[in-house]
Amino acid sequence: MIIIRPIRQADFNSLMTIAEESGHGFTSLPQNEELLRKKIARSESSFAKTVDHPEDEGYLFVMEDITTGEVVGTSAIEAAVGLDDAFYHYHLSKVIHSSRELNVYKAVDILTLCNDYTGATELCTLFLKDNYRKDGNGKLLSKMRFMFMKAHQERFAEKVLAEMRGISDENGDSPFWQWLEEHFFSMDFPTADYLTGIGQKVFIAELMPKYPIYVNLLSKEAQEVIGQVHQKTRPAIELLKSEGFTFNGYVDIFDAGPTVEANASNIRTIQQSSLKRVVITDDYVAADAKPMMVSNNKLVDFRATIATIADATNADEISLSADVAKALLLNEGDSVTVAPL
């Protein structure tokens, strides 16, 4: 059985392995022992903290195969970005160059450095090992965050964003960054990406061009990747689009990958999830049973999984097996959140 739970210190080795497997461009999990231990400690502190509005909390979850005890994936939520460290993006927009006298009218794309998402909640650190990308595990790992957010609304902002990994090759070279490196920096993309991941962002403000960049002045290769996602990220962005996330012109400052956003109240899983009372039984079998996402509504002891249950759209309760109830730390009569997979 697969479950999602908050990370703990004992998961450090597994997290380091995931950081190594995730490769270049996965900024939120750099291969740095000290930083990863701090991430785990910060997450544990965030789950234990009493909160009435979002601040600098970070909630890091792991997917565990409880049959083997192996940690096979991660996902996370940053409660409010940019409050301590500046949170940079480029915004893609247009300027008009026109002259009635010369009968010239031309719309030109520009990239402007901004901090427009300051205070928003960020979905991040989504990674699942290849051999577990089946049976709805990827959907659960991503979408259970919305169930957690609904159960603890006071901890998160209304604006929710997700940065999508942009185009880079197997060596970590980004066509967009190569142009920036040539004109403004003296470091390669993996180095810049790593420094950002470990929190050393001062160089961005010091070296990034202060004025808007005219897109038509970029190299052809750099222009082509603006707003494009890495091949491995395509399933993730399609899932978020199905949840109601849209692209509004914001891209990553390193690889120009797209950032998508939604209002929490409009996210599909948040709208479709519902509270039910638990009945524990191993005898009940329904003809209309189907896989659903189920989570308890706890904080430090949060758990989520996929369970095959009967349609409970118009019911106040659902039946769960004793094994599922145990995995979710549930007792008879407890409330759970249920949502379509």
Side-chain angles (χ1 to χ4, degrees):
M1 184 187 302
I2 296 294
I3 65 162
I4 309 287
R5 60 168 174 79
I7 199 167
R8 48 192 181 226
Q9 286 295 336
D11 298 317
F12 169 75
N13 289 335
S14 298
L15 189 64
M16 178 60 82
T17 299
I18 288 173
E20 293 168 352
E21 291 181 6
S22 60
H24 300 296
F26 201 69
T27 310
S28 56
L29 278 186
Q31 297 173 37
N32 181 292
E33 178 176 344
E34 181 182 1
L35 182 71
L36 293 183
R37 290 195 183 278
K38 286 182 177 179
K39 278 184 173 289
I40 295 174
R42 176 171 174 251
S43 177
E44 290 182 318
S45 175
S46 297
F47 277 102
K49 185 179 178 182
T50 299
V51 171
D52 58 14
H53 65 279
E55 292 183 328
D56 188 36
E57 296 84 34
Y59 305 91
L60 182 55
F61 303 87
V62 294
M63 174 176 277
E64 179 185 351
D65 184 339
I66 60 175
T67 305
T68 64
E70 181 184 4
V71 170
V72 299
T74 63
S75 64
I77 313 171
E78 286 292 321
V81 297
L83 300 185
D84 287 340
D85 294 318
F87 194 70
Y88 293 101
H89 280 90
Y90 275 128
H91 186 237
L92 182 64
S93 58
K94 293 183 182 294
V95 295
I96 304 300
H97 292 255
S98 65
S99 170
R100 290 181 179 274
E101 194 171 317
L102 299 177
N103 195 28
V104 172
Y105 181 95
K106 187 173 182 61
V108 181
D109 290 330
I110 61 171
L111 292 169
T112 306
L113 194 65
C114 66
N115 308 110
D116 291 357
Y117 281 121
T118 299
T121 290
E122 182 190 14
L123 306 175
C124 56
T125 323
L126 181 67
F127 183 83
L128 182 60
K129 292 186 176 182
D130 287 341
N131 56 330
Y132 279 86
R133 295 179 183 179
K134 58 184 180 181
D135 302 329
N137 291 336
K139 291 182 179 179
L140 174 67
L141 189 59
S142 178
K143 295 167 74 169
M144 67 84 206
R145 292 177 292 190
F146 304 136
M147 301 167 75
F148 183 80
M149 290 168 63
K150 184 172 183 176
H152 305 284
Q153 296 179 36
E154 71 282 358
R155 293 177 175 265
F156 304 102
E158 173 64 11
K159 179 73 71 179
V160 183
L161 68 98
E163 293 184 316
M164 299 287 103
R165 185 174 176 181
I167 301 295
S168 61
D169 62 21
E170 62 277 5
N171 298 317
D173 293 323
S174 160
F176 184 77
W177 178 261
Q178 286 175 346
W179 185 88
L180 284 174
E181 179 186 355
E182 179 182 350
H183 293 87
F184 299 99
F185 294 84
S186 297
M187 66 180 74
D188 59 21
F189 174 67
T191 301
D193 194 55
Y194 175 78
L195 289 174
T196 299
I198 64 174
Q200 296 184 17
K201 301 179 182 178
V202 175
F203 76 94
I204 299 175
E206 292 176 339
L207 299 178
M208 274 290 180
K210 304 300 188 296
Y211 300 101
I213 298 173
Y214 280 71
V215 171
N216 58 4
L217 299 181
L218 301 177
S219 67
K220 181 180 179 182
E221 293 78 12
Q223 292 182 46
E224 288 176 347
V225 300
I226 294 173
Q228 302 300 309
V229 297
H230 194 281
Q231 181 177 357
K232 291 183 178 180
T233 308
R234 288 174 186 167
I237 195 171
E238 291 304 318
L239 185 150
L240 291 175
K241 286 180 179 178
S242 73
E243 289 285 337
F245 282 73
T246 57
F247 173 61
N248 292 320
Y250 292 91
V251 299
D252 184 79
I253 61 173
F254 293 145
D255 59 21
T259 290
V260 293
E261 65 178 74
N263 288 335
S265 55
N266 294 333
I267 294 173
R268 182 181 177 188
T269 292
I270 289 179
Q271 290 182 334
Q272 295 185 347
S273 61
S274 57
L275 285 176
K276 305 293 181 183
R277 188 174 64 85
V278 172
V279 175
I280 300 175
T281 176
D282 283 324
D283 299 327
Y284 179 74
V285 178
D288 60 350
K290 60 181 179 180
M292 299 281 285
M293 295 186 294
V294 184
S295 69
N296 66 26
N297 297 309
K298 300 179 182 181
L299 193 57
V300 176
D301 292 324
F302 176 81
R303 297 291 186 275
T305 192
I306 299 173
T308 302
I309 59 176
D311 183 5
T313 304
N314 299 314
D316 294 327
E317 60 185 34
I318 61 167
S319 296
L320 297 177
S321 70
D323 287 344
V324 171
K326 180 180 179 181
L328 294 178
L329 307 180
L330 293 170
N331 296 313
E332 183 88 13
D334 285 349
S335 67
V336 293
T337 296
V338 180
L341 182 61

